[in-house]
Amino acid sequence: QQQVKQSPQSLIVQKGGIPIINCAYENTAFDYFPWYQQFPGKGPALLIAIRPDVSEKKEGRFTISFNKSAKQFSLHIMDSQPGDSATYFCAASKNNQGGKLIFGQGTELSVKP
Amino acid sequence: DTEVTQTPKHLVMGMTNKKSLKCEQHMGHRAMYWYKQKAKKPPELMFVYSYEKLSINESVPSRFSPECPNSSLLNLHLHALQPEDSALYLCASSQGQGFSEAFFGQGTRLTVV
């Protein structure tokens, strides 16, 4: 059973565009929602994370929007650059689960020059 | 410093071999994890160590044997693996159980022949 659903599977945007990646979760006990960026052959790198008591969080060009009632959250990348081309994973976890992360299926982003 | 170091970066082993993967962090984190990632898939949790004790085993076959010698080190001992075990093995750490901000290493690319 897939507990975190991520879309789209792949995304192509032009440089300067604003790609948006969406995730939906089922388990209302989740209380921590991170996004990871992964380049080929590398480990996932923590980008930004949010907790359910906040509706939006910005760090640099990355913004998470969170809709608790809809059980959805999304990542926006402002002024995207070719160097942002990577696979992005959303994830969710429960505070009492010892950091066990449930990942979405990933979105392969390509930013064209 | 949010560095988790994994060695080796690449490993090729036969199905009768015994090998070990190593992971080290010096962030003072008390929870450490092993994840397995197949190509174009999200990471999947294998084991969680909290304060050097195994707290989660996600029904991983016994041919994978984790070990946490101290709070900074995590090993994964491999024996009698199958070709389908070929994957990227990722180590991660977080501040403690229930503290979900997890940092990943670069991974060990394992090929079983």
Side-chain angles (χ1 to χ4, degrees):
Chain A
Q1 183 182 5
Q2 188 179 351
Q3 297 190 56
V4 179
K5 294 183 180 179
Q6 184 173 345
S7 63
Q9 192 171 353
S10 63
L11 187 54
I12 301 174
V13 299
Q14 292 296 125
K15 177 183 173 182
I18 305 177
I20 301 172
I21 305 170
N22 301 298
C23 285
Y25 63 97
E26 299 164 3
N27 191 337
T28 56
F30 287 144
D31 58 3
Y32 175 74
F33 303 90
W35 284 90
Y36 284 86
Q37 178 191 58
Q38 187 174 28
F39 293 104
K42 303 293 186 183
L46 179 63
L47 263 181
I48 186 173
I50 199 167
R51 296 193 185 272
D53 53 347
V54 176
S55 61
E56 185 176 279
K57 184 175 181 180
K58 292 183 182 180
E59 284 187 9
R61 295 185 294 109
F62 300 95
T63 299
I64 299 180
S65 298
F66 188 85
N67 186 329
K68 187 174 180 178
S69 61
K71 294 187 286 185
Q72 295 176 347
F73 58 110
S74 59
L75 176 71
H76 297 61
I77 306 176
M78 304 302 177
D79 187 27
S80 59
Q81 302 296 314
D84 296 328
S85 298
T87 299
Y88 292 81
F89 291 99
C90 63
S93 73
K94 293 181 277 188
N95 192 49
N96 63 356
Q97 283 282 295
K100 175 180 175 178
L101 291 169
I102 308 297
F103 284 88
Q105 290 301 298
T107 296
E108 196 169 344
L109 172 66
S110 177
V111 181
K112 299 298 186 184
Chain B
D1 182 12
T2 56
E3 189 168 324
V4 176
T5 303
Q6 290 187 243
T7 55
K9 287 187 168 44
H10 302 275
L11 179 63
V12 179
M13 61 184 292
M15 289 188 283
T16 58
N17 291 160
K18 286 185 181 180
K19 296 287 185 182
S20 296
L21 309 184
K22 297 186 183 301
C23 174
E24 190 169 6
Q25 57 87 14
H26 294 289
M27 295 178 278
H29 288 174
R30 302 311 301 267
M32 296 185 76
Y33 315 83
W34 282 114
Y35 281 81
K36 173 182 177 179
Q37 186 178 26
K38 301 284 273 184
K40 296 194 179 295
K41 295 291 186 183
E44 292 182 348
L45 183 67
M46 300 174 72
F47 303 104
V48 179
Y49 271 84
S50 178
Y51 291 84
E52 298 152 54
K53 291 189 179 349
L54 184 64
S55 62
I56 296 178
N57 177 341
E58 291 288 328
S59 303
V60 178
S62 59
R63 58 185 183 269
F64 296 91
S65 175
E67 177 195 22
C68 189
N70 60 56
S71 60
S72 300
L73 294 174
L74 186 66
N75 298 322
L76 185 63
H77 303 297
L78 314 173
H79 174 56
L81 295 193
Q82 303 297 310
E84 58 265 29
D85 295 321
S86 299
L88 182 67
Y89 287 84
L90 295 161
C91 174
S93 71
S94 65
Q95 193 162 337
Q97 192 163 13
F99 205 99
S100 301
E101 195 172 62
F103 298 93
F104 284 82
Q106 296 299 289
T108 294
R109 173 70 62 189
L110 174 68
T111 303
V112 182
V113 296

